[in-house]
Amino acid sequence: ETYDGMVALAGGRCDLLMVYYSPNAPITVDEKSCASVILGKDRLVPVCLPDDDGRPKYAIGDLHAGTIPILTYPPETFFGRLLNRIIRFGPSHPHFVAVAQSPHSRILRTLAMNGAGVAWLPERCTQEDCGANRLVQIQGEQWCSEVEIRLYASPERARLLELNLWENIKDW
C-alpha cells in the first residue's frame, strides 16, 4: 500500500517508489526530502459488464435504477479513499451496495467481467477489455477521477538523481 511504501521510502528501506497520486486522496510525504517526477496520467473510471446491446448493465446516474452492486477497495487504500470521495461527492446518490472488496484492481476487474457489479479501475487497465466488449465504461465524467503516476525517490537516492537521471526518467 502507498502508506507503507512512503514509510519505507522516508526511512531509507527503499530507493524508489512508483505510486498513483491525486490531490483528492493525498498521501503524506515530505516533498522537499522525497523528490518526485510525474511519469504519466490516468483516470479511475467505472466499468461493468455490457448488456446484450453493448450498453452498461448498470446505470449509476439513474436514481430509479434500484440497488447497484459495486466492487470496492478497502477504505484505507489509495483507491479506496479516492472511490469514497467519488461516491460521496458524486452528482447523484444512487443506492450502491458493496458486494465485494479487494485492494487489487485485477480481482475487481475479473469480478466486473463476471457481472458482479460496477468496479472503478485505472482506465489504462480497461482499454483492452473495453475494446473487446468484455467491459464497458459507464458514461459520466463526474464518476471518474484523474490520477497521476509518480515516481518518488528516497532522500539519499534523490541526491544521486540530481546528476541528470531525473531528466532521463522524465524523457523516457
Side-chain angles (χ1 to χ4, degrees):
E1 171 50 36
T2 304
Y3 174 77
D4 294 333
M6 286 299 184
V7 170
L9 186 71
R13 294 192 324 270
C14 75
D15 292 328
L16 299 170
L17 180 67
M18 188 175 358
V19 299
Y20 284 104
Y21 174 84
S22 170
N24 293 324
I27 52 178
T28 304
V29 62
D30 180 1
E31 294 281 347
K32 290 183 176 144
S33 65
C34 294
S36 71
V37 63
I38 298 171
L39 299 177
K41 296 186 185 249
D42 203 345
R43 295 184 325 146
L44 196 64
V45 298
V47 295
C48 68
L49 186 69
D51 65 14
D52 292 336
D53 296 322
R55 294 186 306 255
K57 181 177 177 179
Y58 303 102
I60 61 177
D62 182 2
L63 292 176
H64 305 291
T67 301
I68 300 171
I70 61 171
L71 311 166
T72 66
Y73 299 92
E76 68 274 7
T77 64
F78 171 76
F79 281 147
R81 291 190 313 275
L82 192 56
L83 179 54
N84 285 341
R85 181 173 172 82
I86 292 169
I87 290 171
R88 176 189 275 175
F89 297 108
S92 60
H93 294 76
H95 187 241
F96 290 131
V97 173
V99 295
Q101 185 178 85
S102 175
H104 305 289
S105 295
R106 287 183 163 246
I107 292 172
L108 299 180
R109 173 186 157 268
T110 300
L111 290 169
M113 288 191 335
N114 287 322
V118 176
W120 274 260
L121 303 173
E123 190 170 38
R124 289 175 187 237
C125 300
T126 67
Q127 291 173 337
E128 184 177 322
D129 292 322
C130 288
N133 208 34
R134 291 186 294 262
L135 287 174
V136 62
Q137 186 173 326
I138 298 171
Q139 297 303 313
E141 287 300 311
Q142 62 274 23
W143 293 107
C144 303
S145 184
E146 301 283 329
V147 294
E148 295 174 348
I149 302 166
R150 288 189 180 187
L151 182 66
Y152 283 90
S154 67
E156 296 78 24
R157 185 62 58 192
R159 283 191 290 282
L160 295 173
L161 290 174
E162 304 250 337
L163 305 173
N164 205 16
L165 185 57
W166 265 149
E167 294 305 317
N168 291 334
I169 291 172
K170 286 179 188 177
D171 293 339
W172 182 67

